[in-house]
Each structure stands twice: as C-alpha cells, then as structure tokens.
Amino acid sequence: MMVLLLALSACSNTDDSEKDLDMPQIADAGAATAPLNCQTFHTGETISFRYLFTDNVELGNYNIEIHNNFDHHTHSTSAEECEAEPVKAPHNPWVFNQSYCIPPKSISYTAENEILIPDDIDTGDYHFMIRLTDQAGWQQIKSVAIRIE
Amino acid sequence: MLHTILAATLLAVAEPDSVINLSGVTVSGKARHDYQTQSSQSGIRVSHDYLRENLSGSLMQTLEHVPGVRAMKIGSGQSKPAIRGLGFNRMVVAENGIKHEGQQWGDDHGLEIDQFAIDRIDIVKGPAAILYGSDAIGGVIDLYSNNIPMAAVEASANLFCRSNNDLIGLAAKVGGRHGNWFYKANVTASQYADYKVPTDSIQYYSYYIKLDNRRLRNTAGRERDLSAALGYNGYNLNSTLHLTSTYSKSGFFANAHGLEVRLSDIDYDASVRDIDLPRQSVEHLKILSNTNWHNETLSVKADLAYQRNLREELSEPVSHGYMPKPDNPLERRFEKSTFTANANLRLALGEHNELKTGATLEHQHNRRSGWGFIIPDFDTRSFGAFVFDCYTVGSALKLNAGLRYDVARTTTECYTDWYTTPTADGGREYKQRAENLRRKFDSFTWSVGMCYSTGSWVAKANFGKSFRTPIPKELSADGINYHIFRYERGNAALKPEESYQADCSFSFENDVISWQTDPYVNYFPNYIYLCPTPDYVEGLQLYRYTQSEVLRYGIETQANYKIHSSLSLDVGGEYLFARQLSGEKKGYTLPFSTPWSANVGLKYTFEAIGGGHIVLNTNIVGKQSEIVPPEKPTDGHCTLNLALNKHFETGICKFNLSVKADNLLNKRYFDHTSFYRLINVPEAGRNFSVVLEVNL
C-alpha cells in the first residue's frame, strides 16, 4: 500500500507544469491610461477606458462596474486616498455594469472602451471597478476612485 | 497534541470492549462491541479528559490534533469539521446516533455543539455510508452525551478562560440517579473579545488594513448552551430523552467581509467586546430520544429526533449592481427543521455471526429570508435501509459486509429578486434566481472489510462505496454569494456524488512501543465541484457547479515510545493528496487541501502531590502549494505548545487543573483551511488557557 502511495505521488508530480497558478495582471497602458485614481469626469462626457491586461497562459474576460461611493465605503486598491465629498444619500446614482470579451489565445491585451456618463445622474464620488479573469479562473481586481461633476 | 494520536494504535491488544487510557486519550479497541458494524474501520475514541485537557475555542478546534481530523476555523469561536480533507456535506456529525443538521454547506457556518455536554467522541475515518447514508464519505464524528450518573446527586463545574481573545466561560453540570431513573442538566456560557493576531496590518490586494492593538476587528462573540436529559436504565430496556439548545452570536472581521474590502462608519475600535455588523447568530434546538431493548441474542434500537436550526447573518446594507440599498441589515436568514427516525435491529445468529439491519427516515424543511439570495426554500425527504453482517473465523479473523439503499426527494421553490434589473429590450424585470425543481436521487452503497489480529499486530482492510445527494445550493443556486463576492450557479442535472475508498490499518503494540499507520485511496467518479470560470455575470466572476473525477490518497501514522516509566515520546503525522482527473480543472487539487503535518511531543508524568503531567509539543505543518483558484499557496509553519495537567483533592471536592500555552513563540503563520486565509489573516498569536474542573 505504501509503495502504491509513493508511486502515485511520484507520477502525480509530472502534470504540475500544465497548471496555471498565476493571476492575470492589470497594468497601466502608457500615457493614455484611464481612468486614473482620483481623476475627475463630467456628466455627458466619455470615459476613455484604457488598461493593459496580461496573463502567463490565456486571458479570460473583463468586467467594468461603476457604483457610487457616497457613503465612503472605500474599497480602493490604491494606496493613495482621494479627497472625498461629504457623505450623502443617493437619488439617481449611476450604475454601470458591463462585461467584455478578450480575443481567444491572448496573453496581452490593451482594453479600450468608451463609456458615456449619462447626463441625469447624481454627481459625486464613484468607484470604477475593473475585474479581469484568465481562462483558468484566476481573477484580478483593480478599484479606481473617480469623481463625477 | 500528539499523545492523542497513539490512541488508535492500541486496537490490537484490546479485548473486545476493552478501553485503554493512553496519554489522556482513551482509545478503544475496534472490537465488535464498539462499532458492531464497522469492525474493520479505522477509528479513534476521544474521552472527556482529552476534551478538557485540549479545550479550545470550539469543539472542532479542541479535536484539531487528532490525526486525520481538521478544524476549518472561522475566527476564534467557530469552526467546521473535516476528516481526511473532506468537510462541508462530505462528512457527518452525529449526536447520540442522530445526524446533526445545520447549514453545513456554508463556508462560514460553524458546528453548533456545546463541547462541555459531550461525554465521549468516536471518530470514524473513511466511508460510513452503510450506517449514515448520504454524506458519510470522509467519515463520521460521533458525539455521545449518554453517560449515566452513578450517584444520587453529582455535580461538576468548569471554569475556563483564554488569554488570546479574553475568553471567560463557565460550564456547570448536575445529574443524579434514583433506582432505574436518572437525570442530567448542563449549562454553558462564554464570552470572548476580538482575537489577537501577531501582525499590525493585513494586506489584501494592495490594500493595507491597519489593526488596532493587533486585534482582528469585530471577531468577538458569545455562546450560551443548555441541555437536559431524562432517562430510564433497566436490565433489558433503556431510554433517554435529550433536549439541547445552543445559541451563539459572533462577529465577522469588519474590514473584509468575504472578499471585498470595506470601510464603515461603525466605530469598531470603541470596544473589543462588542459585536457589530457584520455578524452571525445561530440557534440550534434538538429534541432527541434513544430507546434500546435487548436480550442475549436480539437488540432493538429506536431513535427519534427533531432539530431546528435558525441562522441569521447581518451586514451593513449596501447597494450592489442593480440591487438598491436594502433597508435593514438582515442579509440571510435560514430556518431549517429536520425530523429523523432511526430503527436498528441486531441479531446474533449463532456464536460467530452477527446480523445488523436498520432503516432511517428523514424530512428537512428549509426556509430562507433576507436580501441576499443564495439558496432557495427547499424540502427534502429521504429513506435508507441497510443490512450488515459480521462473521468471526476462529479467534483472529473477522469479516464483514454490508449493503444499503437510499432514496431522496428534493423539492426546491422558485425565487425571484425583490428588485428589478434592466432587460435587453429596455424594460425592467424581477429576475428569477431559482426555479421550481423536483429531483429524486437513489443510490446503492456497500462495503466489505476484514480485521486480523495476531500477537501484538493487527491488520485491517476495508473497501466500500459511499455517496452524497446533491444539496439544493448545488442544484439551484443562481445568484451572488455576498460572503465571497462571486456569482454561483447551480446545476439541476447533477447526479449523486459517489466515492470508492480502500483503506487499511496496521498496528503494533507492546509495553514500550506502539505504532499505527493508516493509508487510504479514494476515487470519486463525479465529485461535485464549484468551478471558477473566466466568465462574468452581473459584474462578478461566475462559479459553476460541475462534476469531475477525483483521486485522493493519504496516510496517517503515529507512534509512541515509552522512554522511561514517567517519560514518553509521541510522534505522528499525516499526508493527503488530491487531484482532479477530468473537467475544466483537470490537474488541479480540490479546494482546502490539507497540507502535510507532523507532531512531536514529550510527556512527563509525575506522581507527586496528587499526580499530573506536562507535555511539550511541536506541531510542524508543511507548505501547501497545491491550490485551485482563488486560493493562495500557504507557507509551512512550526509552533511550540506546552500543556500541564494536575489533579488534586480537598475534602469532598476533586479538582483538575489544565493549563495550556499554544503558539508559545507567538509565530505569525497562516492556516490553509481557515476561512480568513483568502484575505491574508494570520492565525491567532500566543494563547494561554486555563480550565479548572471541580467535581462534587
């Protein structure tokens, strides 16, 4: 039995190389990277989203989600704290939630999307959440604090 | 502690029914009078003394150093059991013969048991489907609170405290016997503060969470348990009615509930003892009756039970996606009622052959509420019947074989959101998250085993099939799990999960050395696995229930060497390997894979001033790099622990004092199977605990 166990453990180590154990990465995409932490936008404008996604094996999909931070719940992943507006109650907060595909077999992809900020939304502090997966199911999250005026 | 471990070693030497007390752990021979139906299985009996000497924040944490058993910790006062790496619905906890039914499926749902009300524990490692039906794949933790008081009145009290979370608690027990009648009552109450970790901050993603005085914010809690029993113990007939009620309330780490980092206006640092949001509370009520009638050749047993589990999880309401901010903090509420009836019959067919047969009927009724949806309302009705035969050949060899059939019907109710979501055509709809579903599952299970003993040696082997009925969350979840921040989708087409296991056990024991080793191999053709996908649904990563082939194997070993009449050395260790052989995660392990571990302990027993012992123990845990998304590799660690146990008597009172120091060097380390591991929260720092037991 112990010999069997040893044999099993010996052969099972051989498939380690097939496994992807690394998360995908979200990085700045040069000077045009947007949105940046603490950046201000205006209603009616467009946010020109641009970030660089990389993975060691194959990228999966990404999602952009924007929600208000009027209550200062602050889950920014940036070390830098932005100056926040006073706490307030939402009336017509902007909710944006959209998933995007990345071409198959990509290990590097510069994501670019134009996101229109509606005219009639509450202005104030928002969180711009970027979520990225790879094909193995690893996820990377980046949270950017933005202000809409 | 390692000394525990040796326990099982003694199987060999023990006469049927004999019980050997070794290093505080009473280990029973795996003889037929102990586990009539499972004589070939590997098992350990844990005594009341062991529980007292190793007392930790929760029952499973107390049992954590029993080889093959793990506690999946949720803070300092709650934990989930796992046997040989299988937890959740892949193992069974039973109390006085009745399967304990709470919300076992939840990552953050601890076991609702008062550890002071337990008299002894039998741990079965390996499949036990023949007796317990669905879920008993990894094994069974069989809790017994059926010791009968010997005196007209007897009483005891335990005062216990822990330094790491400033816990203070009291457990009091009273009981008595009048002729054939007896009664018992227990009350336990404890309260603890936020626990201390050896770090100033938690780093999660790139976010630094600073801790106040190295305490994990909002992890305080309290517990209150009551139990009572009334019984009749005659020559042929005995019957006991048990009533237990447990209540616990505990906070979750405030800065990262699940995977999301959050700040709050709540002033968590105002007090280390207050329990703010997010938090959970659980009430578990159990009414249980055991009746047994026997004569020389026949034994008939009937058990009836009603359990009600009420769980509430509260967190600060926030809007998420299209869900507006709820107007109350009640995120989830589950109310589950379970009715169970067992009937067993044991018949001696001549001198060498014993037949056991039985049936179980169970009904579960589960209702949910709160603004967070994760499982729908459901009802499950199940029936199982088995036959098991044990045949003795000569005096050395015992053979057994069993067969069981189970059938279960699950009905889930449809659920639609309480808020609207925009549709593709510009309108809004109340999205349906779960549909009406009726499923019927059935399964045949079987086992064969042998036990051979000669001189100081015992060899056992067992081969069997076990299974698990898919739970409603696996069948019909379709929503956001706010505790982990992922989207979970069930699969209505899941088949019952099946498992085949071969295990064996070799042991040797003489006056100086005892040794036991237990290897096993386990194969699942269709393990139910919540698979992380690259896809997004409503802004969160989609996890989908799938079934894949899984191979697991492992070994536990332990040895004890008596260096001197008062000095002994304990050594033990365990190793477990799991691999998915098919499906999207082929080549990966399973979630929460237990890393290898080893224990070395030195025990000095002294006779002076009433007697007692001191144990110095080191626990070494290996690195776990076998992971599956979203887990992280966990480095190995080594902790040093010291325990002292001392008896003394004054007048009519007997005292027992246990003092324990865990993590003496205040090492900062992570536990791969802890709930807070994913967010980089290290395990508790140095802890001193004291238990003073007074017996009248």
Side-chain angles (χ1 to χ4, degrees), chain B residues 229-280:
Chain B
L230 185 66
Y232 175 85
N233 187 34
Y235 183 72
N236 292 114
L237 178 74
N238 50 66
S239 183
T240 312
L241 182 69
H242 299 270
L243 189 116
T244 61
S245 159
T246 64
Y247 171 78
S248 74
K249 177 178 171 182
S250 58
F252 288 116
F253 178 41
N255 299 115
H257 188 35
L259 293 184
E260 196 188 51
V261 176
R262 296 190 57 85
L263 292 189
S264 164
D265 287 338
I266 297 174
D267 182 10
Y268 290 108
D269 299 334
S271 160
V272 294
R273 289 202 173 263
D274 58 357
I275 307 167
D276 289 309
L277 299 172
R279 66 167 183 265
Q280 61 175 336

Side-chain angles (χ1 to χ4, degrees), chain B residues 230-518:
Chain B
L230 185 66
Y232 175 85
N233 187 34
Y235 183 72
N236 292 114
L237 178 74
N238 50 66
S239 183
T240 312
L241 182 69
H242 299 270
L243 189 116
T244 61
S245 159
T246 64
Y247 171 78
S248 74
K249 177 178 171 182
S250 58
F252 288 116
F253 178 41
N255 299 115
H257 188 35
L259 293 184
E260 196 188 51
V261 176
R262 296 190 57 85
L263 292 189
S264 164
D265 287 338
I266 297 174
D267 182 10
Y268 290 108
D269 299 334
S271 160
V272 294
R273 289 202 173 263
D274 58 357
I275 307 167
D276 289 309
L277 299 172
R279 66 167 183 265
Q280 61 175 336
S281 66
V282 196
E283 281 177 61
H284 196 98
L285 172 74
K286 197 181 281 184
I287 302 167
L288 196 158
S289 128
N290 300 124
T291 303
N292 188 13
W293 180 90
H294 68 274
N295 65 16
E296 286 72 28
T297 54
L298 179 70
S299 158
V300 182
K301 197 164 166 271
D303 304 323
L304 276 173
Y306 166 74
Q307 299 177 68
R308 177 177 174 268
N309 186 283
L310 177 65
R311 161 176 294 277
E312 290 190 343
E313 297 170 22
L314 294 93
S315 58
E316 277 187 277
V318 284
S319 61
H320 181 89
Y322 297 105
M323 179 181 80
K325 183 174 167 174
D327 62 4
N328 66 73
L330 184 63
E331 183 181 339
R332 304 166 172 183
R333 182 180 194 272
F334 302 112
E335 188 177 352
K336 177 174 174 181
S337 300
T338 307
F339 300 86
T340 316
N342 281 342
N344 287 317
L345 189 144
R346 202 176 73 221
L347 183 64
L349 299 170
E351 211 180 315
H352 298 293
N353 196 3
E354 187 181 78
L355 184 74
K356 189 170 177 178
T357 178
T360 301
L361 195 64
E362 189 192 80
H363 176 76
Q364 285 185 20
H365 178 77
N366 210 330
R367 290 293 172 269
R368 60 155 302 284
S369 56
W371 47 263
F373 172 76
I374 184 153
I375 58 165
D377 289 346
F378 70 87
D379 287 87
T380 299
R381 212 166 284 178
S382 59
F383 173 78
F386 72 91
V387 57
F388 188 89
D389 191 72
C390 182
Y391 191 79
T392 310
V393 185
S395 60
L397 182 65
K398 266 184 270 172
L399 302 172
N400 64 65
L403 189 67
R404 181 180 174 113
Y405 176 72
D406 282 274
V407 58
R409 266 174 223 281
T410 295
T411 313
T412 66
E413 308 270 322
C414 80
Y415 175 83
T416 46
D417 279 342
W418 55 272
Y419 56 89
T420 58
T421 299
T423 54
D425 59 11
R428 294 186 82 85
E429 63 163 359
Y430 292 95
K431 277 191 112 167
Q432 183 173 318
R433 300 289 178 182
E435 56 184 35
N436 286 316
L437 187 72
R438 276 181 75 85
R439 284 287 311 267
K440 182 187 157 192
F441 302 97
D442 64 344
S443 193
F444 266 109
T445 48
W446 47 265
S447 78
V448 290
M450 58 80 73
C451 176
Y452 181 74
S453 57
T454 173
S456 305
W457 291 85
V458 174
K460 303 203 281 183
N462 213 54
F463 184 45
K465 180 190 168 192
S466 47
F467 83 105
R468 179 172 78 85
T469 301
I471 58 173
K473 177 170 181 273
E474 294 163 336
L475 292 168
S476 60
D478 193 12
I480 295 161
N481 183 343
Y482 279 97
H483 286 214
I484 323 245
F485 262 74
R486 63 191 182 199
Y487 195 97
E488 297 179 353
R489 183 168 286 163
N491 178 353
L494 293 175
K495 293 193 172 68
E497 181 178 277
E498 297 183 330
S499 162
Y500 297 88
Q501 179 161 327
D503 53 55
C504 49
S505 169
F506 305 97
S507 57
F508 172 83
E509 209 252 352
N510 65 20
D511 292 343
V512 180
I513 288 177
S514 59
W515 164 82
Q516 174 172 341
T517 195
D518 299 277

Side-chain angles (χ1 to χ4, degrees), chain A residues 52-55 57-59 102-103 105-111:
Chain A
L52 174 66
F53 299 151
T54 56
D55 186 54
V57 180
E58 184 179 354
L59 288 162
I102 295 171
K105 311 287 178 206
S106 304
I107 57 166
S108 174
Y109 179 72
T110 303

Side-chain angles (χ1 to χ4, degrees), chain A residues 35-47:
Chain A
L36 294 169
N37 207 38
C38 310
Q39 201 172 347
T40 300
F41 297 89
H42 296 91
T43 53
E45 264 182 17
T46 294
I47 301 175

Side-chain angles (χ1 to χ4, degrees), chain A residues 118-135:
Chain A
D119 281 322
D120 57 348
I121 58 151
D122 296 348
T123 57
D125 297 317
Y126 281 86
H127 279 152
F128 190 104
M129 306 290 293
I130 309 160
R131 294 183 170 92
L132 170 69
T133 55
D134 68 10
Q135 287 297 333

Side-chain angles (χ1 to χ4, degrees), chain B residues 143-161:
Chain B
L143 310 169
Y144 291 96
S145 55
N146 55 1
N147 280 9
I148 295 172
M150 302 307 287
V153 180
E154 56 186 47
S156 69
N158 280 275
L159 183 68
F160 52 102
C161 50

